[in-house]
Amino acid sequence: MARITKEELLEKLFHEDYEHLKGKKLRLTRLRIPGKEVCLAHIISAPQASVYQNLGLHIGVHEGEDHTGESIGLIRFTPWEAVVVAADVAMKSADVQIGFMDRFCGSLILTGGLSEIQTAVEDVVRFFREVLGFHTCEIHKK
């Protein structure tokens, strides 16, 4: 798909009123209507310490903790609030820690042993697919 200019976009959106609106201040609001989807499920086994530091997993409530050798599970949801349910399912299905949870963007980062992370991510994806009827992606492992 070719990129269009701002003027071309406005003309397409306001094709009937474009000449009348031309030159006036317009306010555009981007709106996202999320579906029911698990759009990312990824497991990173035993990453280097720099990965933990760049994700901020060594600060806040985890300050001073040593996560060397632990795995990371990354899961992304829409609608974003689903991350709260996912964190609950993950914590009840395996011995994992919540490294980061963002209910405004739908991101969940789990830390723990590889088998525990794998179990938690698989259970979360399965729960969202089978119980809540979400469209789910494949779980990727690296």
Side-chain angles (χ1 to χ4, degrees), residues 1-34:
M1 181 176 194
R3 293 185 64 100
I4 62 174
T5 66
K6 180 174 76 172
E7 289 75 22
E8 290 170 330
L9 173 64
L10 292 173
E11 191 169 353
K12 283 185 179 214
L13 292 174
F14 304 106
H15 58 280
E16 294 175 7
D17 297 324
Y18 184 69
E19 286 302 319
H20 172 70
L21 296 172
K22 204 178 216 179
K24 294 185 178 179
K25 286 189 175 185
L26 299 176
R27 179 178 171 167
L28 290 178
T29 303
R30 291 181 8 165
L31 179 65
R32 180 173 181 202
I33 302 172

PDB file of all heavy atoms in Angstrom, residues 1-34:
ATOM      1  N   MET A   1       0.838  -1.175   0.000  1.00  0.00           N
ATOM      2  CA  MET A   1       0.000   0.000   0.000  1.00  0.00           C
ATOM      3  C   MET A   1       0.879   1.233   0.000  1.00  0.00           C
ATOM      4  O   MET A   1       1.770   1.378   0.823  1.00  0.00           O
ATOM      5  CB  MET A   1      -0.913  -0.024   1.224  1.00  0.00           C
ATOM      6  CG  MET A   1      -1.838   1.137   1.296  1.00  0.00           C
ATOM      7  SD  MET A   1      -2.931   0.912   2.727  1.00  0.00           S
ATOM      8  CE  MET A   1      -4.113   2.134   2.327  1.00  0.00           C
ATOM      9  N   ALA A   2       0.635   2.126  -0.901  1.00  0.00           N
ATOM     10  CA  ALA A   2       1.431   3.347  -1.018  1.00  0.00           C
ATOM     11  C   ALA A   2       1.040   4.333   0.077  1.00  0.00           C
ATOM     12  O   ALA A   2      -0.114   4.413   0.487  1.00  0.00           O
ATOM     13  CB  ALA A   2       1.217   3.966  -2.392  1.00  0.00           C
ATOM     14  N   ARG A   3       2.006   5.067   0.564  1.00  0.00           N
ATOM     15  CA  ARG A   3       1.752   6.084   1.579  1.00  0.00           C
ATOM     16  C   ARG A   3       1.063   7.281   0.935  1.00  0.00           C
ATOM     17  O   ARG A   3       1.356   7.634  -0.193  1.00  0.00           O
ATOM     18  CB  ARG A   3       3.056   6.504   2.224  1.00  0.00           C
ATOM     19  CG  ARG A   3       3.688   5.378   3.032  1.00  0.00           C
ATOM     20  CD  ARG A   3       4.920   5.861   3.749  1.00  0.00           C
ATOM     21  NE  ARG A   3       4.596   6.869   4.735  1.00  0.00           N
ATOM     22  CZ  ARG A   3       4.485   6.642   6.044  1.00  0.00           C
ATOM     23  NH1 ARG A   3       4.675   5.424   6.502  1.00  0.00           N
ATOM     24  NH2 ARG A   3       4.200   7.601   6.880  1.00  0.00           N
ATOM     25  N   ILE A   4       0.174   7.895   1.695  1.00  0.00           N
ATOM     26  CA  ILE A   4      -0.486   9.092   1.187  1.00  0.00           C
ATOM     27  C   ILE A   4      -0.149  10.263   2.092  1.00  0.00           C
ATOM     28  O   ILE A   4       0.220  10.082   3.255  1.00  0.00           O
ATOM     29  CB  ILE A   4      -2.023   8.905   1.101  1.00  0.00           C
ATOM     30  CG1 ILE A   4      -2.627   8.642   2.480  1.00  0.00           C
ATOM     31  CG2 ILE A   4      -2.389   7.799   0.141  1.00  0.00           C
ATOM     32  CD1 ILE A   4      -4.157   8.599   2.473  1.00  0.00           C
ATOM     33  N   THR A   5      -0.280  11.453   1.566  1.00  0.00           N
ATOM     34  CA  THR A   5       0.020  12.656   2.347  1.00  0.00           C
ATOM     35  C   THR A   5      -1.136  12.961   3.291  1.00  0.00           C
ATOM     36  O   THR A   5      -2.239  12.418   3.150  1.00  0.00           O
ATOM     37  CB  THR A   5       0.247  13.866   1.422  1.00  0.00           C
ATOM     38  OG1 THR A   5      -0.986  14.159   0.766  1.00  0.00           O
ATOM     39  CG2 THR A   5       1.343  13.596   0.412  1.00  0.00           C
ATOM     40  N   LYS A   6      -0.884  13.866   4.224  1.00  0.00           N
ATOM     41  CA  LYS A   6      -1.922  14.287   5.158  1.00  0.00           C
ATOM     42  C   LYS A   6      -3.094  14.909   4.408  1.00  0.00           C
ATOM     43  O   LYS A   6      -4.261  14.642   4.706  1.00  0.00           O
ATOM     44  CB  LYS A   6      -1.344  15.275   6.166  1.00  0.00           C
ATOM     45  CG  LYS A   6      -2.372  15.778   7.182  1.00  0.00           C
ATOM     46  CD  LYS A   6      -1.749  16.647   8.244  1.00  0.00           C
ATOM     47  CE  LYS A   6      -1.477  18.014   7.652  1.00  0.00           C
ATOM     48  NZ  LYS A   6      -1.035  19.005   8.640  1.00  0.00           N
ATOM     49  N   GLU A   7      -2.782  15.706   3.396  1.00  0.00           N
ATOM     50  CA  GLU A   7      -3.834  16.354   2.615  1.00  0.00           C
ATOM     51  C   GLU A   7      -4.687  15.329   1.865  1.00  0.00           C
ATOM     52  O   GLU A   7      -5.906  15.446   1.799  1.00  0.00           O
ATOM     53  CB  GLU A   7      -3.231  17.372   1.636  1.00  0.00           C
ATOM     54  CG  GLU A   7      -2.679  18.625   2.291  1.00  0.00           C
ATOM     55  CD  GLU A   7      -1.345  18.413   2.996  1.00  0.00           C
ATOM     56  OE1 GLU A   7      -0.627  17.443   2.666  1.00  0.00           O
ATOM     57  OE2 GLU A   7      -1.030  19.197   3.911  1.00  0.00           O
ATOM     58  N   GLU A   8      -4.041  14.309   1.313  1.00  0.00           N
ATOM     59  CA  GLU A   8      -4.783  13.257   0.610  1.00  0.00           C
ATOM     60  C   GLU A   8      -5.692  12.483   1.572  1.00  0.00           C
ATOM     61  O   GLU A   8      -6.828  12.147   1.227  1.00  0.00           O
ATOM     62  CB  GLU A   8      -3.816  12.301  -0.090  1.00  0.00           C
ATOM     63  CG  GLU A   8      -3.096  12.911  -1.277  1.00  0.00           C
ATOM     64  CD  GLU A   8      -1.973  12.032  -1.800  1.00  0.00           C
ATOM     65  OE1 GLU A   8      -1.368  11.277  -1.003  1.00  0.00           O
ATOM     66  OE2 GLU A   8      -1.707  12.105  -3.014  1.00  0.00           O
ATOM     67  N   LEU A   9      -5.199  12.242   2.785  1.00  0.00           N
ATOM     68  CA  LEU A   9      -6.010  11.561   3.788  1.00  0.00           C
ATOM     69  C   LEU A   9      -7.222  12.403   4.155  1.00  0.00           C
ATOM     70  O   LEU A   9      -8.344  11.902   4.196  1.00  0.00           O
ATOM     71  CB  LEU A   9      -5.181  11.261   5.041  1.00  0.00           C
ATOM     72  CG  LEU A   9      -5.963  10.691   6.230  1.00  0.00           C
ATOM     73  CD1 LEU A   9      -6.546   9.326   5.885  1.00  0.00           C
ATOM     74  CD2 LEU A   9      -5.093  10.615   7.456  1.00  0.00           C
ATOM     75  N   LEU A  10      -7.015  13.688   4.419  1.00  0.00           N
ATOM     76  CA  LEU A  10      -8.124  14.559   4.773  1.00  0.00           C
ATOM     77  C   LEU A  10      -9.143  14.643   3.645  1.00  0.00           C
ATOM     78  O   LEU A  10     -10.355  14.656   3.889  1.00  0.00           O
ATOM     79  CB  LEU A  10      -7.604  15.954   5.132  1.00  0.00           C
ATOM     80  CG  LEU A  10      -6.789  16.026   6.426  1.00  0.00           C
ATOM     81  CD1 LEU A  10      -6.190  17.414   6.603  1.00  0.00           C
ATOM     82  CD2 LEU A  10      -7.623  15.639   7.619  1.00  0.00           C
ATOM     83  N   GLU A  11      -8.655  14.693   2.433  1.00  0.00           N
ATOM     84  CA  GLU A  11      -9.571  14.753   1.296  1.00  0.00           C
ATOM     85  C   GLU A  11     -10.408  13.471   1.199  1.00  0.00           C
ATOM     86  O   GLU A  11     -11.599  13.517   0.916  1.00  0.00           O
ATOM     87  CB  GLU A  11      -8.795  14.978  -0.002  1.00  0.00           C
ATOM     88  CG  GLU A  11      -9.697  15.301  -1.170  1.00  0.00           C
ATOM     89  CD  GLU A  11      -8.928  15.790  -2.387  1.00  0.00           C
ATOM     90  OE1 GLU A  11      -7.710  16.009  -2.284  1.00  0.00           O
ATOM     91  OE2 GLU A  11      -9.573  15.926  -3.424  1.00  0.00           O
ATOM     92  N   LYS A  12      -9.789  12.327   1.463  1.00  0.00           N
ATOM     93  CA  LYS A  12     -10.545  11.072   1.437  1.00  0.00           C
ATOM     94  C   LYS A  12     -11.559  11.004   2.577  1.00  0.00           C
ATOM     95  O   LYS A  12     -12.678  10.536   2.396  1.00  0.00           O
ATOM     96  CB  LYS A  12      -9.599   9.876   1.523  1.00  0.00           C
ATOM     97  CG  LYS A  12      -8.887   9.583   0.232  1.00  0.00           C
ATOM     98  CD  LYS A  12      -8.077   8.318   0.362  1.00  0.00           C
ATOM     99  CE  LYS A  12      -7.396   8.047  -0.959  1.00  0.00           C
ATOM    100  NZ  LYS A  12      -7.262   6.649  -1.249  1.00  0.00           N
ATOM    101  N   LEU A  13     -11.158  11.462   3.778  1.00  0.00           N
ATOM    102  CA  LEU A  13     -12.046  11.405   4.929  1.00  0.00           C
ATOM    103  C   LEU A  13     -13.213  12.381   4.818  1.00  0.00           C
ATOM    104  O   LEU A  13     -14.335  12.079   5.195  1.00  0.00           O
ATOM    105  CB  LEU A  13     -11.270  11.691   6.221  1.00  0.00           C
ATOM    106  CG  LEU A  13     -10.245  10.647   6.650  1.00  0.00           C
ATOM    107  CD1 LEU A  13      -9.465  11.147   7.850  1.00  0.00           C
ATOM    108  CD2 LEU A  13     -10.922   9.335   6.972  1.00  0.00           C
ATOM    109  N   PHE A  14     -12.908  13.573   4.333  1.00  0.00           N
ATOM    110  CA  PHE A  14     -13.911  14.636   4.290  1.00  0.00           C
ATOM    111  C   PHE A  14     -14.217  15.040   2.858  1.00  0.00           C
ATOM    112  O   PHE A  14     -14.363  16.216   2.552  1.00  0.00           O
ATOM    113  CB  PHE A  14     -13.413  15.854   5.083  1.00  0.00           C
ATOM    114  CG  PHE A  14     -13.052  15.537   6.500  1.00  0.00           C
ATOM    115  CD1 PHE A  14     -11.721  15.469   6.888  1.00  0.00           C
ATOM    116  CD2 PHE A  14     -14.031  15.288   7.448  1.00  0.00           C
ATOM    117  CE1 PHE A  14     -11.383  15.180   8.205  1.00  0.00           C
ATOM    118  CE2 PHE A  14     -13.691  14.993   8.756  1.00  0.00           C
ATOM    119  CZ  PHE A  14     -12.372  14.941   9.132  1.00  0.00           C
ATOM    120  N   HIS A  15     -14.329  14.073   1.957  1.00  0.00           N
ATOM    121  CA  HIS A  15     -14.444  14.342   0.527  1.00  0.00           C
ATOM    122  C   HIS A  15     -15.547  15.339   0.180  1.00  0.00           C
ATOM    123  O   HIS A  15     -15.375  16.169  -0.691  1.00  0.00           O
ATOM    124  CB  HIS A  15     -14.617  13.049  -0.274  1.00  0.00           C
ATOM    125  CG  HIS A  15     -15.807  12.239   0.117  1.00  0.00           C
ATOM    126  ND1 HIS A  15     -15.790  11.422   1.211  1.00  0.00           N
ATOM    127  CD2 HIS A  15     -17.038  12.146  -0.426  1.00  0.00           C
ATOM    128  CE1 HIS A  15     -16.965  10.828   1.327  1.00  0.00           C
ATOM    129  NE2 HIS A  15     -17.744  11.252   0.345  1.00  0.00           N
ATOM    130  N   GLU A  16     -16.670  15.322   0.887  1.00  0.00           N
ATOM    131  CA  GLU A  16     -17.742  16.254   0.573  1.00  0.00           C
ATOM    132  C   GLU A  16     -17.488  17.634   1.155  1.00  0.00           C
ATOM    133  O   GLU A  16     -17.882  18.635   0.575  1.00  0.00           O
ATOM    134  CB  GLU A  16     -19.074  15.698   1.075  1.00  0.00           C
ATOM    135  CG  GLU A  16     -19.495  14.439   0.333  1.00  0.00           C
ATOM    136  CD  GLU A  16     -20.758  13.832   0.915  1.00  0.00           C
ATOM    137  OE1 GLU A  16     -21.372  14.447   1.807  1.00  0.00           O
ATOM    138  OE2 GLU A  16     -21.113  12.738   0.462  1.00  0.00           O
ATOM    139  N   ASP A  17     -16.853  17.700   2.320  1.00  0.00           N
ATOM    140  CA  ASP A  17     -16.632  18.978   2.999  1.00  0.00           C
ATOM    141  C   ASP A  17     -15.201  19.484   2.883  1.00  0.00           C
ATOM    142  O   ASP A  17     -14.858  20.477   3.514  1.00  0.00           O
ATOM    143  CB  ASP A  17     -16.967  18.836   4.490  1.00  0.00           C
ATOM    144  CG  ASP A  17     -18.414  18.498   4.730  1.00  0.00           C
ATOM    145  OD1 ASP A  17     -19.256  19.004   3.972  1.00  0.00           O
ATOM    146  OD2 ASP A  17     -18.699  17.735   5.676  1.00  0.00           O
ATOM    147  N   TYR A  18     -14.364  18.812   2.099  1.00  0.00           N
ATOM    148  CA  TYR A  18     -12.936  19.135   2.095  1.00  0.00           C
ATOM    149  C   TYR A  18     -12.675  20.586   1.703  1.00  0.00           C
ATOM    150  O   TYR A  18     -11.906  21.270   2.359  1.00  0.00           O
ATOM    151  CB  TYR A  18     -12.164  18.187   1.178  1.00  0.00           C
ATOM    152  CG  TYR A  18     -10.676  18.433   1.220  1.00  0.00           C
ATOM    153  CD1 TYR A  18      -9.950  18.135   2.373  1.00  0.00           C
ATOM    154  CD2 TYR A  18     -10.004  18.991   0.146  1.00  0.00           C
ATOM    155  CE1 TYR A  18      -8.599  18.367   2.443  1.00  0.00           C
ATOM    156  CE2 TYR A  18      -8.652  19.232   0.202  1.00  0.00           C
ATOM    157  CZ  TYR A  18      -7.948  18.917   1.357  1.00  0.00           C
ATOM    158  OH  TYR A  18      -6.611  19.163   1.423  1.00  0.00           O
ATOM    159  N   GLU A  19     -13.297  21.075   0.664  1.00  0.00           N
ATOM    160  CA  GLU A  19     -13.059  22.455   0.223  1.00  0.00           C
ATOM    161  C   GLU A  19     -13.485  23.445   1.293  1.00  0.00           C
ATOM    162  O   GLU A  19     -12.818  24.440   1.528  1.00  0.00           O
ATOM    163  CB  GLU A  19     -13.788  22.735  -1.102  1.00  0.00           C
ATOM    164  CG  GLU A  19     -13.149  22.080  -2.311  1.00  0.00           C
ATOM    165  CD  GLU A  19     -11.692  22.481  -2.533  1.00  0.00           C
ATOM    166  OE1 GLU A  19     -11.353  23.685  -2.368  1.00  0.00           O
ATOM    167  OE2 GLU A  19     -10.887  21.608  -2.844  1.00  0.00           O
ATOM    168  N   HIS A  20     -14.576  23.168   1.986  1.00  0.00           N
ATOM    169  CA  HIS A  20     -15.058  24.041   3.057  1.00  0.00           C
ATOM    170  C   HIS A  20     -14.103  24.021   4.263  1.00  0.00           C
ATOM    171  O   HIS A  20     -13.911  25.029   4.928  1.00  0.00           O
ATOM    172  CB  HIS A  20     -16.465  23.613   3.483  1.00  0.00           C
ATOM    173  CG  HIS A  20     -16.982  24.309   4.702  1.00  0.00           C
ATOM    174  ND1 HIS A  20     -17.333  25.649   4.692  1.00  0.00           N
ATOM    175  CD2 HIS A  20     -17.187  23.871   5.959  1.00  0.00           C
ATOM    176  CE1 HIS A  20     -17.726  25.994   5.906  1.00  0.00           C
ATOM    177  NE2 HIS A  20     -17.656  24.926   6.701  1.00  0.00           N
ATOM    178  N   LEU A  21     -13.507  22.860   4.548  1.00  0.00           N
ATOM    179  CA  LEU A  21     -12.626  22.706   5.704  1.00  0.00           C
ATOM    180  C   LEU A  21     -11.173  23.088   5.419  1.00  0.00           C
ATOM    181  O   LEU A  21     -10.387  23.259   6.343  1.00  0.00           O
ATOM    182  CB  LEU A  21     -12.674  21.263   6.195  1.00  0.00           C
ATOM    183  CG  LEU A  21     -14.012  20.773   6.728  1.00  0.00           C
ATOM    184  CD1 LEU A  21     -13.964  19.280   6.981  1.00  0.00           C
ATOM    185  CD2 LEU A  21     -14.408  21.520   7.983  1.00  0.00           C
ATOM    186  N   LYS A  22     -10.816  23.219   4.169  1.00  0.00           N
ATOM    187  CA  LYS A  22      -9.432  23.494   3.774  1.00  0.00           C
ATOM    188  C   LYS A  22      -8.923  24.759   4.456  1.00  0.00           C
ATOM    189  O   LYS A  22      -9.587  25.788   4.462  1.00  0.00           O
ATOM    190  CB  LYS A  22      -9.373  23.667   2.259  1.00  0.00           C
ATOM    191  CG  LYS A  22      -8.030  23.398   1.647  1.00  0.00           C
ATOM    192  CD  LYS A  22      -8.133  23.547   0.141  1.00  0.00           C
ATOM    193  CE  LYS A  22      -7.268  22.551  -0.537  1.00  0.00           C
ATOM    194  NZ  LYS A  22      -7.370  22.654  -1.983  1.00  0.00           N
ATOM    195  N   GLY A  23      -7.753  24.643   5.084  1.00  0.00           N
ATOM    196  CA  GLY A  23      -7.116  25.776   5.741  1.00  0.00           C
ATOM    197  C   GLY A  23      -7.542  25.983   7.183  1.00  0.00           C
ATOM    198  O   GLY A  23      -6.938  26.767   7.893  1.00  0.00           O
ATOM    199  N   LYS A  24      -8.584  25.301   7.623  1.00  0.00           N
ATOM    200  CA  LYS A  24      -9.034  25.426   9.002  1.00  0.00           C
ATOM    201  C   LYS A  24      -8.276  24.431   9.869  1.00  0.00           C
ATOM    202  O   LYS A  24      -7.745  23.445   9.385  1.00  0.00           O
ATOM    203  CB  LYS A  24     -10.533  25.170   9.101  1.00  0.00           C
ATOM    204  CG  LYS A  24     -11.364  26.225   8.399  1.00  0.00           C
ATOM    205  CD  LYS A  24     -12.831  25.991   8.629  1.00  0.00           C
ATOM    206  CE  LYS A  24     -13.607  27.107   7.932  1.00  0.00           C
ATOM    207  NZ  LYS A  24     -15.029  26.930   8.086  1.00  0.00           N
ATOM    208  N   LYS A  25      -8.242  24.721  11.154  1.00  0.00           N
ATOM    209  CA  LYS A  25      -7.599  23.798  12.079  1.00  0.00           C
ATOM    210  C   LYS A  25      -8.520  22.612  12.299  1.00  0.00           C
ATOM    211  O   LYS A  25      -9.684  22.764  12.643  1.00  0.00           O
ATOM    212  CB  LYS A  25      -7.311  24.472  13.415  1.00  0.00           C
ATOM    213  CG  LYS A  25      -6.162  25.434  13.371  1.00  0.00           C
ATOM    214  CD  LYS A  25      -5.806  25.893  14.750  1.00  0.00           C
ATOM    215  CE  LYS A  25      -4.580  26.769  14.684  1.00  0.00           C
ATOM    216  NZ  LYS A  25      -4.122  27.151  16.015  1.00  0.00           N
ATOM    217  N   LEU A  26      -7.986  21.437  12.077  1.00  0.00           N
ATOM    218  CA  LEU A  26      -8.726  20.203  12.278  1.00  0.00           C
ATOM    219  C   LEU A  26      -8.035  19.377  13.348  1.00  0.00           C
ATOM    220  O   LEU A  26      -6.816  19.406  13.474  1.00  0.00           O
ATOM    221  CB  LEU A  26      -8.801  19.398  10.981  1.00  0.00           C
ATOM    222  CG  LEU A  26      -9.503  20.055   9.806  1.00  0.00           C
ATOM    223  CD1 LEU A  26      -9.412  19.158   8.574  1.00  0.00           C
ATOM    224  CD2 LEU A  26     -10.952  20.334  10.134  1.00  0.00           C
ATOM    225  N   ARG A  27      -8.814  18.662  14.080  1.00  0.00           N
ATOM    226  CA  ARG A  27      -8.257  17.775  15.102  1.00  0.00           C
ATOM    227  C   ARG A  27      -8.617  16.346  14.725  1.00  0.00           C
ATOM    228  O   ARG A  27      -9.785  16.005  14.588  1.00  0.00           O
ATOM    229  CB  ARG A  27      -8.834  18.128  16.459  1.00  0.00           C
ATOM    230  CG  ARG A  27      -8.322  17.248  17.551  1.00  0.00           C
ATOM    231  CD  ARG A  27      -8.901  17.679  18.858  1.00  0.00           C
ATOM    232  NE  ARG A  27      -8.574  16.691  19.853  1.00  0.00           N
ATOM    233  CZ  ARG A  27      -8.723  16.871  21.137  1.00  0.00           C
ATOM    234  NH1 ARG A  27      -9.183  18.002  21.575  1.00  0.00           N
ATOM    235  NH2 ARG A  27      -8.420  15.925  21.974  1.00  0.00           N
ATOM    236  N   LEU A  28      -7.599  15.529  14.555  1.00  0.00           N
ATOM    237  CA  LEU A  28      -7.815  14.121  14.245  1.00  0.00           C
ATOM    238  C   LEU A  28      -7.539  13.296  15.496  1.00  0.00           C
ATOM    239  O   LEU A  28      -6.579  13.537  16.213  1.00  0.00           O
ATOM    240  CB  LEU A  28      -6.882  13.643  13.135  1.00  0.00           C
ATOM    241  CG  LEU A  28      -7.145  14.183  11.739  1.00  0.00           C
ATOM    242  CD1 LEU A  28      -6.106  13.635  10.776  1.00  0.00           C
ATOM    243  CD2 LEU A  28      -8.524  13.782  11.277  1.00  0.00           C
ATOM    244  N   THR A  29      -8.389  12.346  15.731  1.00  0.00           N
ATOM    245  CA  THR A  29      -8.201  11.430  16.844  1.00  0.00           C
ATOM    246  C   THR A  29      -8.085  10.031  16.268  1.00  0.00           C
ATOM    247  O   THR A  29      -8.951   9.602  15.513  1.00  0.00           O
ATOM    248  CB  THR A  29      -9.404  11.495  17.805  1.00  0.00           C
ATOM    249  OG1 THR A  29      -9.572  12.830  18.250  1.00  0.00           O
ATOM    250  CG2 THR A  29      -9.198  10.581  18.992  1.00  0.00           C
ATOM    251  N   ARG A  30      -6.989   9.361  16.616  1.00  0.00           N
ATOM    252  CA  ARG A  30      -6.834   7.973  16.171  1.00  0.00           C
ATOM    253  C   ARG A  30      -7.542   7.086  17.168  1.00  0.00           C
ATOM    254  O   ARG A  30      -7.387   7.230  18.366  1.00  0.00           O
ATOM    255  CB  ARG A  30      -5.359   7.620  16.071  1.00  0.00           C
ATOM    256  CG  ARG A  30      -4.681   8.341  14.954  1.00  0.00           C
ATOM    257  CD  ARG A  30      -3.234   8.018  14.777  1.00  0.00           C
ATOM    258  NE  ARG A  30      -2.741   6.922  15.578  1.00  0.00           N
ATOM    259  CZ  ARG A  30      -1.599   6.318  15.355  1.00  0.00           C
ATOM    260  NH1 ARG A  30      -0.843   6.685  14.366  1.00  0.00           N
ATOM    261  NH2 ARG A  30      -1.186   5.344  16.122  1.00  0.00           N
ATOM    262  N   LEU A  31      -8.275   6.162  16.657  1.00  0.00           N
ATOM    263  CA  LEU A  31      -9.047   5.267  17.490  1.00  0.00           C
ATOM    264  C   LEU A  31      -8.678   3.836  17.145  1.00  0.00           C
ATOM    265  O   LEU A  31      -8.587   3.481  15.981  1.00  0.00           O
ATOM    266  CB  LEU A  31     -10.543   5.502  17.231  1.00  0.00           C
ATOM    267  CG  LEU A  31     -11.530   4.652  17.992  1.00  0.00           C
ATOM    268  CD1 LEU A  31     -11.452   4.945  19.478  1.00  0.00           C
ATOM    269  CD2 LEU A  31     -12.930   4.921  17.482  1.00  0.00           C
ATOM    270  N   ARG A  32      -8.456   3.053  18.155  1.00  0.00           N
ATOM    271  CA  ARG A  32      -8.145   1.650  17.933  1.00  0.00           C
ATOM    272  C   ARG A  32      -9.248   0.813  18.562  1.00  0.00           C
ATOM    273  O   ARG A  32      -9.572   0.981  19.731  1.00  0.00           O
ATOM    274  CB  ARG A  32      -6.808   1.294  18.562  1.00  0.00           C
ATOM    275  CG  ARG A  32      -6.460  -0.148  18.336  1.00  0.00           C
ATOM    276  CD  ARG A  32      -5.080  -0.451  18.797  1.00  0.00           C
ATOM    277  NE  ARG A  32      -4.840  -1.842  18.505  1.00  0.00           N
ATOM    278  CZ  ARG A  32      -3.936  -2.564  19.105  1.00  0.00           C
ATOM    279  NH1 ARG A  32      -3.152  -2.022  19.980  1.00  0.00           N
ATOM    280  NH2 ARG A  32      -3.774  -3.815  18.808  1.00  0.00           N
ATOM    281  N   ILE A  33      -9.814  -0.057  17.788  1.00  0.00           N
ATOM    282  CA  ILE A  33     -10.856  -0.936  18.287  1.00  0.00           C
ATOM    283  C   ILE A  33     -10.257  -2.336  18.347  1.00  0.00           C
ATOM    284  O   ILE A  33     -10.127  -3.010  17.333  1.00  0.00           O
ATOM    285  CB  ILE A  33     -12.100  -0.901  17.384  1.00  0.00           C
ATOM    286  CG1 ILE A  33     -12.607   0.527  17.311  1.00  0.00           C
ATOM    287  CG2 ILE A  33     -13.159  -1.851  17.915  1.00  0.00           C
ATOM    288  CD1 ILE A  33     -13.704   0.752  16.335  1.00  0.00           C
ATOM    289  N   PRO A  34      -9.840  -2.736  19.534  1.00  0.00           N
ATOM    290  CA  PRO A  34      -9.162  -4.026  19.642  1.00  0.00           C
ATOM    291  C   PRO A  34     -10.124  -5.192  19.535  1.00  0.00           C
ATOM    292  O   PRO A  34     -11.274  -5.117  19.954  1.00  0.00           O
ATOM    293  CB  PRO A  34      -8.529  -3.959  21.031  1.00  0.00           C
ATOM    294  CG  PRO A  34      -9.393  -3.028  21.805  1.00  0.00           C
ATOM    295  CD  PRO A  34      -9.946  -2.040  20.807  1.00  0.00           C
TER     296      PRO A  34
END
